[in-house]
Amino acid sequence: VLVMLCNALARGLILCWIPVLKIDEKKKIDAATDKMDPNGFPDIKAALEVCEFALNLTNGNIPSELVPIVVRQHIIATWVKAKQLLQQQIGHKLGTDDENDDGQNPITKVLVALEMYSCNGLGLMDFTVLSLSQLVKMTLECNWPDPLVELQTLTRLTHFAYASHDHEIVMTCSQRALQLGIKHTRAFLTENQKARQEMLSTAACIQGRSIMENLAGKKHLRLAASKAFVQSARYAGETGNCALVMLAARYFWNACLPFIGSPSDREQLKEPTETILKNIIKADKNKQGTKNMLQLHQWPTKDFQSSESLEGHFLPGTEEDLTLRTSLYGLLFHMYADKSDWETGLKVLDEAIQVLPRTKHRLLIFKHMVIVKARLGRNFTMDIQKFKDESENYLSHMWHRLAPISKGIVGQLTCYHNAIEALQKQESEWQKVDYLMEFAEWLYCNQFPLNGVIKHLDWAIDILLHMKLDIGPFEEEEKNIKQEIPSPAKLKVDFGVNVTVTQTANEDLRNIRQLEMLFRAHTLMAIISGHSSPFHQQNCLMAYAYIIRIWQVSLSAAGSIIKTLPKSSPSTASQNAQSATPKKDKGKKDAKQSSTHKKDQAQKEAKL
């Protein structure tokens, strides 16, 4: 009780004098915080005296006055902070009076050194500290009476080793911490279970992060890192700490992202993904209020308790909890979809709908649910109503996606019809034409009446001919070049009939995409109507005319582009002349061949 009172008094004296950290845009601490208010020195000196009184009283000289190490740990943290505020370095004895390594002296040295690491890098005076390897060796040699303090020490060492990019120490300390947590599970009191689980979660998460930073292109290490993140999420879920669970889930997503594209690789992630999602739900249900516990640090530190130390680089979209949870459910669904296990996949989607809040994040889940129900032949009318506030392109795409997978002719017909009817705006005309032509093919393949098939193709052609399209610069120039389709000429087509093509308004069409789709539409009409139809030849000739028009527009545009190309520079021309001078005879011969070749080429172009 006396030590706890001394600690409370000392902290009350120094807390108001600890400078506020100033962090710039690059998240670097401003060195100007080193300036202490001189008026605070008397209070800080008094706090230091109180701490030293408590530490000397419980240093072990009188065995009956020893206090539990967890109580002594708090007064040590306050003493080190007071030393820093007074800009006093701590000697190599690390707060002990002698070199005796009996009793609590070794543990005291380790705790003092850890506090020095926690205080460094904050813009105040930095302590001269031991190397991490030395500190780890001292920690492992100590005989710890309290497993919770030992676990906390190992977790802190894991954090500092990760901050200094020492992967070997990270793995040593984190593995020792995780083994300790499992070995002494029953030794922890009920009120200490929350702290134990959080420290184990932190240690496992840091271990996984360190593995990710040292992959060296080894694929199997990603799986090892993912297992560490799953373990971290499991511990955090048991304690009800949502922040730690989501942090582990984000790192898990980063680690597993390269495996998501392959069905065989996704299969390896099935159980880990289920564990992550279960612990997210468990953390939501087991949320615990903040208890009135005396925290080890009541000031900013570089320790793992600081939220800044948990920051990391996450892929776009995963920073938000709901987006990440939705993505995890989508990943789990795809694992069942890979095996065509639609019933179990539907159960996963149902769980996601019940767990996730009513936000737009659930649209992805509803999309999968509608597709699965269509495959299973179930009614999805209510589910697709969730997309009523989305754009008409999105809604039309959904209906079009459902058309080929729906069971029964009536269901597919309804989906195609709704996909076409959903597109009403002028900017959706291209998509509407595509769907009309695809729908016509579907009707023909499913032996619907030819009149209905032709009617939809006529509808597509009508939309194409009445489109209002912007004219580009080359199309504007081509407008002045009159190249007509040979109107009275006899054209020999593939099916061996001489017919006359009448002049049409094709010369007003200049958009290649529009002409290509008109060609496709008339080709389909010719095929569907058959050779016996009186409109077969007409559709073939219309398709041919649109192909000719595509060539005309393309050649006109090509001519305009060639005109804008820079001519050869004078230096290049002189070099060509110089190289041609020594070979006069050969040059004359080449010139004759070139002129003959040009005449032949001109004749061919004239014919074309």
Side-chain angles (χ1 to χ4, degrees):
V1 174
L2 176 61
V3 174
M4 293 173 67
L5 287 173
C6 290
N7 182 52
L9 174 59
R11 293 195 177 200
L13 289 169
I14 70 171
L15 280 176
C16 59
W17 301 111
I18 297 175
V20 179
L21 293 181
K22 296 180 182 178
I23 302 176
D24 60 14
E25 295 179 355
K26 297 181 180 179
K27 295 186 177 181
K28 292 184 178 179
I29 297 172
D30 191 351
T33 56
D34 194 18
K35 297 178 181 179
M36 283 287 303
D37 188 348
N39 296 325
F41 284 110
D43 286 346
I44 299 171
K45 287 179 180 178
L48 184 63
E49 291 175 1
V50 171
C51 291
E52 290 178 344
F53 165 74
L55 288 171
N56 291 331
L57 187 65
T58 59
N59 59 7
N61 292 334
I62 304 175
S64 60
E65 292 183 355
L66 278 177
V67 295
I69 193 63
V70 67
V71 177
R72 189 172 171 83
Q73 182 185 24
H74 288 276
I75 198 73
I76 288 173
T78 309
W79 177 72
V80 173
K81 191 63 183 179
K83 281 278 192 178
Q84 185 186 38
L85 295 175
L86 292 173
Q87 299 187 9
Q88 297 179 7
Q89 286 287 344
I90 298 175
H92 67 281
K93 293 182 180 181
L94 298 174
T96 57
D97 293 335
D98 51 36
E99 299 295 338
N100 186 12
D101 288 338
D102 296 333
Q104 292 183 347
N105 276 352
I107 298 176
T108 300
K109 290 180 180 180
V110 171
L111 295 179
V112 170
L114 277 174
E115 292 305 324
M116 293 162 66
Y117 268 98
S118 296
C119 291
N120 284 355
L122 295 173
L124 298 169
M125 180 202 75
D126 283 347
F127 290 107
T128 303
V129 295
L130 295 173
S131 66
L132 271 176
S133 57
Q134 286 180 288
L135 189 53
V136 171
K137 183 180 178 182
M138 291 169 55
T139 303
L140 297 179
E141 291 175 352
C142 287
N143 184 17
W144 294 87
D146 190 332
L148 182 63
V149 178
E150 183 182 6
L151 176 61
Q152 186 186 52
T153 302
L154 290 168
T155 306
R156 295 171 73 183
L157 284 171
T158 303
H159 165 74
F160 291 128
Y162 175 75
S164 61
H165 304 287
D166 194 326
H167 178 63
E168 185 178 350
I169 294 180
V170 169
M171 297 303 294
T172 299
C173 294
S174 60
Q175 289 174 1
R176 182 68 177 267
L178 295 171
Q179 290 171 4
L180 180 68
I182 298 172
K183 180 180 178 181
H184 296 283
T185 302
R186 296 182 180 179
F188 293 99
L189 299 176
T190 305
E191 58 268 21
N192 293 334
Q193 283 295 333
K194 184 176 186 294
R196 166 188 171 269
Q197 304 285 10
E198 289 178 352
M199 284 185 283
L200 290 172
S201 174
T202 302
C205 187
I206 296 175
Q207 183 186 90
R209 293 172 65 182
S210 186
I211 294 173
M212 287 295 295
E213 289 187 3
N214 293 272
L215 287 176
K218 297 177 181 177
K219 186 177 180 180
H220 69 278
L221 290 181
R222 282 188 175 271
L223 295 176
S226 68
K227 290 179 181 178
F229 295 133
V230 170
Q231 194 174 12
S232 175
R234 186 183 293 112
Y235 285 124
E238 291 176 2
T239 192
N241 192 320
C242 294
L244 287 179
V245 174
M246 295 310 301
L247 185 71
R250 288 187 181 92
Y251 283 118
F252 171 79
W253 181 264
N254 279 8
C256 297
L257 195 61
F259 300 114
I260 292 177
S262 168
S264 58
D265 289 336
R266 278 199 296 263
E267 180 62 25
Q268 303 178 65
L269 306 178
K270 182 179 177 181
E271 186 176 348
T273 305
E274 290 176 340
T275 304
I276 291 281
L277 289 170
K278 286 179 182 177
N279 283 280
I280 291 175
I281 298 172
K282 187 185 294 184
D284 279 339
K285 292 180 180 179
N286 298 336
K287 282 183 181 178
Q288 298 178 7
T290 304
K291 296 182 180 180
N292 297 324
M293 296 176 63
L294 180 60
Q295 299 295 324
L296 180 58
H297 298 120
Q298 293 173 279
W299 47 79
T301 68
K302 300 295 286 185
D303 221 323
F304 73 89
Q305 292 97 339
S306 173
S307 59
E308 294 176 6
S309 66
L310 299 178
E311 292 182 356
H313 173 71
F314 304 113
L315 297 173
T318 58
E319 297 91 345
E320 192 180 4
D321 289 354
L322 288 177
T323 304
L324 177 59
R325 293 176 67 178
T326 305
S327 300
L328 287 170
Y329 274 111
L331 173 61
L332 185 58
F333 163 74
H334 279 294
M335 295 173 189
Y336 288 105
D338 292 335
K339 296 181 177 181
S340 299
D341 188 358
W342 304 113
E343 293 288 350
T344 310
L346 190 59
K347 292 179 181 178
V348 171
L349 298 175
D350 284 332
E351 178 185 312
I353 293 297
Q354 294 174 7
V355 171
L356 295 174
R358 296 177 178 273
T359 61
K360 283 195 172 184
H361 298 86
R362 299 199 303 175
L363 286 179
L364 176 64
I365 304 299
F366 280 116
K367 179 180 178 180
H368 293 321
M369 183 172 286
V370 167
I371 293 172
V372 172
K373 287 187 175 181
R375 286 184 179 276
L376 296 175
R378 299 183 185 180
N379 187 6
F380 52 83
T381 306
M382 295 300 296
D383 298 298
I384 207 167
Q385 292 298 319
K386 303 294 181 180
F387 304 100
K388 62 181 179 181
D389 296 329
E390 299 301 306
S391 64
E392 65 176 36
N393 283 330
Y394 189 92
L395 184 59
S396 176
H397 170 76
M398 279 299 304
W399 281 112
H400 180 260
R401 178 85 179 272
L402 295 172
I405 61 177
S406 295
K407 288 192 174 182
I409 296 295
V410 176
Q412 295 180 16
L413 180 67
T414 303
C415 290
Y416 274 118
H417 174 76
N418 290 332
I420 295 169
E421 288 297 319
L423 299 172
Q424 298 294 331
K425 295 181 180 179
Q426 183 177 349
E427 55 266 26
S428 304
E429 287 181 337
W430 292 112
Q431 193 65 54
K432 193 167 188 175
V433 170
D434 271 336
Y435 286 173
L436 281 169
M437 294 173 67
E438 182 181 338
F439 185 42
E441 290 183 50
W442 181 87
L443 291 172
Y444 177 73
C445 292
N446 285 276
Q447 301 180 355
F448 277 81
L450 291 181
N451 290 337
V453 179
I454 299 297
K455 189 178 294 183
H456 284 86
L457 290 174
D458 280 334
W459 187 6
I461 292 171
D462 186 64
I463 294 174
L464 287 169
L465 292 175
H466 291 85
M467 278 185 176
K468 296 179 180 180
L469 303 171
D470 296 330
I471 299 177
F474 295 115
E475 294 170 353
E476 186 68 34
E477 184 174 347
E478 190 271 341
K479 190 175 181 180
N480 301 323
I481 303 174
K482 295 184 177 179
Q483 295 182 357
E484 299 179 354
I485 298 176
S487 52
K490 297 284 184 178
L491 296 178
K492 182 85 171 180
V493 291
D494 292 341
F495 40 83
V497 181
N498 292 332
V499 293
T500 302
V501 182
T502 57
Q503 181 67 25
T504 64
N506 286 354
E507 61 185 11
D508 295 331
L509 303 178
R510 300 177 185 85
N511 186 282
I512 298 298
R513 183 180 181 184
Q514 182 185 24
L515 290 166
E516 189 269 340
M517 296 186 81
L518 284 167
F519 156 74
R520 285 173 52 204
H522 281 285
T523 302
L524 278 174
M525 290 184 74
I527 293 172
I528 290 171
S529 60
H531 291 280
S532 60
S533 171
F535 301 105
H536 179 77
Q537 291 184 0
Q538 180 182 352
N539 286 316
C540 289
L541 289 172
M542 289 298 295
Y544 177 81
Y546 287 125
I547 288 294
I548 294 296
R549 184 58 186 162
I550 289 174
W551 275 102
Q552 290 175 351
V553 174
S554 301
L555 291 174
S556 299
S560 303
I561 294 173
I562 292 171
K563 289 179 183 178
T564 60
L565 292 176
K567 297 180 180 179
S568 60
S569 61
S571 60
T572 306
S574 62
Q575 290 176 3
N576 293 336
Q578 290 175 3
S579 62
T581 302
K583 301 178 181 179
K584 293 181 180 179
D585 296 338
K586 185 178 180 181
K588 290 179 181 179
K589 185 178 180 181
D590 293 342
K592 289 181 180 180
Q593 292 177 353
S594 176
S595 62
T596 305
H597 176 71
K598 287 182 179 178
K599 288 180 180 179
D600 294 341
Q601 188 68 22
Q603 291 176 359
K604 290 180 180 179
E605 290 179 355
K607 290 180 179 179
L608 180 62

